[in-house]
Amino acid sequence: MQIITTKQELQSIVKACKTQQKTIGLVPTMGALHEGHASLVRRAVAENNVCFVSVFVNPTQFNNKEDLAKYPRNIVRDAELLETIGADFVFAPTPEEMYSEEEMNTTFEFDFAGLDQVMEGKMRPGHFNGVVQVVSRLFYLVQPDKAYFGEKDFQQLAIIHHMVERSSLAGTFGDLKIIGCPIVREASGLALSSRNERLSEAEKQTALGISKTLFESLKWAKEDGATVAKVQQRVIDTINAIEGLEVEYYEIVDQTTLLPTDTFDHAIGCVTVYCGPVRLIDNIKYNG
Ligand code: AMP
């Protein structure tokens, strides 16, 4: 496995892969890797001739400076994990290598047909513009055949699908296929997240209340007289009743439009919860 830190080196390696007609899989990450990331990488390794993983804490997608500063970073451990699971190339640039000063400070605005105006987009203004700025840059540099994203960040996955299939950027990336991969959880149910590293053991126990409530809500949705509004509120109340947890939002929306829905068909519930200062996200699909 080779670690690359410059765009120039990356592009010359990509060119060589293309010349040899190798198919390329890309897994974009922000590092502090865990089994969730590993599941994406394993799939990319299995389905392509070469697998690139990017490890880059993208400053332009953070609207909270403290969150950016405290985001866990451990490239040595990340590289060890990636080596064992068969990644071929790790692209780990500095912010200065990735962006010019102007790019770092300009707010890029993309049109995502409203997908970026709800939930995470509403709570973190500019977040998805930053995500798309970095992901489109990575697609341009790596020219992957397939790129892998987790359903853990369901809204991000929907926006990237939209960017590749329907937005003004569609067509820019050839036949690129976006592959969504299921959420990997601890045996306890807690969704794996790099931010879990910031939780104490006691906070981790507390955070279990999030996934436990989401799973429980699948049963509530089947009770007589259940409505989306009632289940949504019950999830919020149940999590808020757990000491140490505070719901930022819980919204049951349509899986495609991400707009509020009054049926459980094709619905997904997306939650963001503060566990102390740590902001955790999770989601659950209700029907199919
Ligand atoms: P991040 O490093 O948090 O930006 O995540 C990089 C990629 O890994 C994103 O596509 C995430 O959705 C995905 N990912 C993060 N956590 C998980 C998880 N628990 N299960 C599956 N995919 C995940």
Side-chain angles (χ1 to χ4, degrees), residues 51-78:
C51 169
F52 286 75
V53 179
S54 60
V55 174
F56 178 61
V57 182
N58 175 33
T60 69
Q61 71 187 66
F62 283 81
N63 51 343
N64 177 332
K65 284 208 168 68
E66 191 187 330
D67 193 24
L68 172 62
K70 294 209 165 143
Y71 200 86
R73 293 160 168 90
N74 195 336
I75 186 67
V76 174
R77 213 184 60 197
D78 290 347

Side-chain angles (χ1 to χ4, degrees), residues 2 5 54 89-90 97 106 116 150 153 208 235 249 256 270 287:
Q2 189 178 338
T5 54
S54 60
F89 299 101
V90 180
E97 173 66 18
T106 312
D116 58 333
D153 299 270
L208 276 185
V235 166
Y249 65 82
T256 307
C270 299
N287 234 336

